[in-house]
Amino acid sequence: MELRKELPEVFEEFAEARKNSFLAIKKIKDAGTPIVGVFCTYLPREIANAMGAAVVGLCSVSDETIPDAEKDLPRNLCPLIKSSYGFARTDKCPFFYFSDLVVGETTCDGKKKMYEMLAEFKSVHVVQLPNSQTEDGYELYRKELIRFKEVLEEKFEIKITEEAIAKEIKKRNGINRALTRLQYTMAQDPAPVMGLDIINTVYGSGFQMNTDTLEETIDAVTDKIEKEYQEGKNIGKRPRILVTGSPSGGAALKVIRAIEENGGVVVCFENCTGMKPLAEVDEENPDVYDALSRKYLSIGCSCMSPNKARMELLEKLIKDFKVDAVVDLVLQACHTYNVETAMVKKLVKDKMGIPYTVVETDYSQADVGQIQTRMAAFIEML
Ligand code: BJ8
């Protein structure tokens, strides 16, 4: 068995993805390609991609612009919302700056209200997301997706055909299959690589502007990991952690670092930066809007009531990835994920008999030492 010590070369392709995409976005803008900025995994990128637009993720995950955001927004608001608004307000994020249209969704209350303020200085369209996964909900979301398509057609003076959407569904399904396969390499025990490397790759893939070859690029990374694993390379036996809760990218990665620097390995990310949004759209469904509505509205985010899909996915992933303990990451003032911690604890601890803990944090570095100490103690007892 050979233990890995450094960042495996296989991840280099994605390590600089976000930075490189800042350069790419200007070129794309100069070439006259429409740019659509999106916040949430509930929004089907396929519809905007079908008109040839570049779709960029706008959720911001650094504390750099939070003081600027707090001039308009309350201090005790989720850091993800403040950071996103702050980057838009200050024009410090090239994705915001170059976006011709910003698309929000009615997910949590904080985001909904923030979009209203964003609309005062940006071109914003808000998709009305139903908060329950019922037949009425799917029908309403289907209509909303058609309305979104019409908004794009009108704004960019272009026709979006169902054939073009079907083609994008196939492409996105391929990318999601590749991302799932990559993350499932961590189901092996011992794990082949560190969770931080996997999450940076998954996160980085969202910033790859060329989606035509993305499936193959991700598959190439997975093939290399598998090959090296067969040759005996892995990270050795470590307590296997699943992370769930609010998105864990950017500044919140301090929690992942604390787990892995103290002897654990994050084998699975259940949240939106990991497995949560990767189910496939039904390619056989002749009604592309119905197919998109059913896949996307089924995502198990805490803004749904009830949110059975999250619990079902969690239970499956805990088994598939042979998880030893669960860490629930809650961003400060995220009421929906915070309230759900009681339900997650019931599933993980009471039903499945697995250790569970909650970490509530924001995007500052002030609590890094405290999180390190807590994670060290948690992993020690596994
Ligand atoms: S589908 S997780 S990307 S909404 S952490 S802003 S919920 S107060 S980010 Fe999210 Fe879509 Fe859900 Fe995923 Fe609000 Fe909570 Fe902040 Fe959140």
Side-chain angles (χ1 to χ4, degrees):
M1 178 176 84
E2 188 188 336
L3 290 194
R4 288 184 177 279
K5 292 188 190 67
E6 284 155 13
L7 177 77
E9 249 175 63
V10 294
F11 296 112
E12 279 172 9
E13 174 83 32
F14 291 97
E16 300 286 289
R18 188 161 194 266
K19 205 171 85 196
N20 292 341
S21 63
F22 287 165
L23 307 172
I25 198 79
K26 178 158 189 324
K27 277 195 194 151
I28 288 170
K29 184 81 180 177
D30 290 345
T33 305
I35 297 175
V36 177
V38 300
F39 280 99
C40 179
T41 42
Y42 277 117
L43 199 270
R45 292 177 173 219
E46 288 92 332
I47 298 176
N49 282 140
M51 68 166 196
V55 183
V56 294
L58 296 176
C59 262
S60 302
V61 286
S62 118
D63 67 350
E64 190 188 334
T65 59
I66 286 183
D68 288 300
E70 286 176 349
K71 288 177 189 160
D72 294 344
L73 296 171
R75 292 193 68 192
N76 63 343
L77 184 67
C78 162
L80 190 149
I81 303 173
K82 286 192 287 188
S83 174
S84 301
Y85 180 83
F87 274 101
R89 197 47 159 161
T90 56
D91 270 340
K92 278 187 182 161
C93 169
F95 293 153
F96 264 114
Y97 182 76
F98 289 123
S99 287
D100 298 296
L101 180 70
V102 170
V103 187
E105 315 70 23
T106 51
T107 52
C108 63
D109 291 349
K111 266 185 172 171
K112 274 191 268 197
K113 300 316 285 182
M114 182 270 277
Y115 297 141
E116 290 174 25
M117 295 169 68
L118 200 60
E120 286 173 20
F121 55 93
K122 272 284 188 198
S123 176
V124 174
H125 171 69
V126 177
V127 173
Q128 298 295 322
L129 182 85
N131 285 166
S132 60
Q133 293 144 330
T134 58
E135 278 308 310
D136 284 348
Y138 292 124
E139 181 51 28
L140 192 114
Y141 201 42
R142 178 182 173 278
K143 283 186 190 149
E144 271 301 293
L145 295 181
I146 293 171
R147 192 169 73 93
F148 171 49
K149 179 211 68 144
E150 289 166 354
V151 166
L152 292 175
E153 286 181 328
E154 196 178 319
K155 179 163 179 74
F156 297 101
E157 296 173 350
I158 199 166
K159 187 96 195 111
I160 301 176
T161 65
E162 293 185 13
E163 289 69 37
I165 294 175
K167 214 171 133 205
E168 290 301 325
I169 287 174
K170 268 198 169 58
K171 198 202 287 177
R172 183 61 54 186
N173 276 348
I175 295 169
N176 286 349
R177 263 195 306 275
L179 286 170
T180 303
R181 188 177 156 237
L182 169 70
Q183 292 179 77
Y184 262 88
T185 59
M186 298 296 276
Q188 302 172 99
D189 190 12
V193 293
M194 300 302 280
L196 204 55
D197 296 330
I198 293 285
I199 201 63
N200 281 333
T201 303
V202 174
Y203 188 62
S205 71
F207 295 100
Q208 295 280 331
M209 293 295 129
N210 183 0
T211 52
D212 288 343
T213 53
L214 192 48
E215 181 185 349
E216 290 76 31
T217 316
I218 298 163
D219 272 340
V221 174
T222 311
D223 291 344
K224 267 193 177 172
I225 293 173
E226 288 294 1
K227 184 170 172 283
E228 292 184 359
Y229 195 73
Q230 297 309 327
E231 292 164 359
K233 281 192 188 168
N234 60 67
I235 57 162
K237 277 272 186 194
R238 283 169 170 246
R240 302 166 65 79
I241 312 295
L242 177 145
V243 168
T244 182
S246 308
S248 58
L253 286 176
K254 61 188 168 186
V255 180
I256 315 306
R257 278 190 209 101
I259 294 168
E260 300 203 324
E261 284 167 13
N262 287 289
V265 54
V266 179
V267 287
C268 182
F269 295 82
E270 181 274 335
N271 50 19
C272 265
T273 20
M275 295 295 296
K276 202 196 283 288
L278 298 183
E280 288 178 40
V281 177
D282 180 5
E283 293 176 21
E284 304 302 316
N285 187 338
D287 180 343
V288 289
Y289 298 105
D290 181 61
L292 288 170
S293 164
R294 284 178 190 278
K295 180 251 149 122
Y296 281 94
L297 189 61
S298 297
I299 290 172
C301 171
S302 58
C303 63
M304 288 293 150
S305 175
N307 186 18
K308 280 197 201 137
R310 181 183 180 200
M311 303 304 153
E312 286 164 9
L313 180 62
L314 256 175
E315 193 168 346
K316 176 176 164 28
L317 295 176
I318 288 170
K319 288 179 189 156
D320 286 359
F321 284 81
K322 301 177 267 306
V323 165
D324 296 315
V326 170
V327 173
D328 207 347
L329 192 161
V330 178
L331 290 177
Q332 261 166 26
C334 174
H335 304 313
T336 53
Y337 275 109
N338 207 359
V339 171
E340 276 195 5
T341 57
M343 300 173 207
V344 177
K345 186 178 174 192
K346 207 166 156 194
L347 168 77
V348 175
K349 247 188 140 172
D350 303 348
K351 184 174 172 194
M352 302 186 81
I354 289 172
Y356 166 86
T357 194
V358 182
V359 178
E360 193 178 356
T361 188
D362 60 9
Y363 287 165
S364 79
Q365 295 302 300
D367 58 358
V368 167
Q370 196 200 348
I371 292 173
Q372 284 275 347
T373 311
R374 273 198 57 201
M375 288 300 103
F378 184 64
I379 287 158
E380 177 81 40
M381 61 138 213
L382 296 176

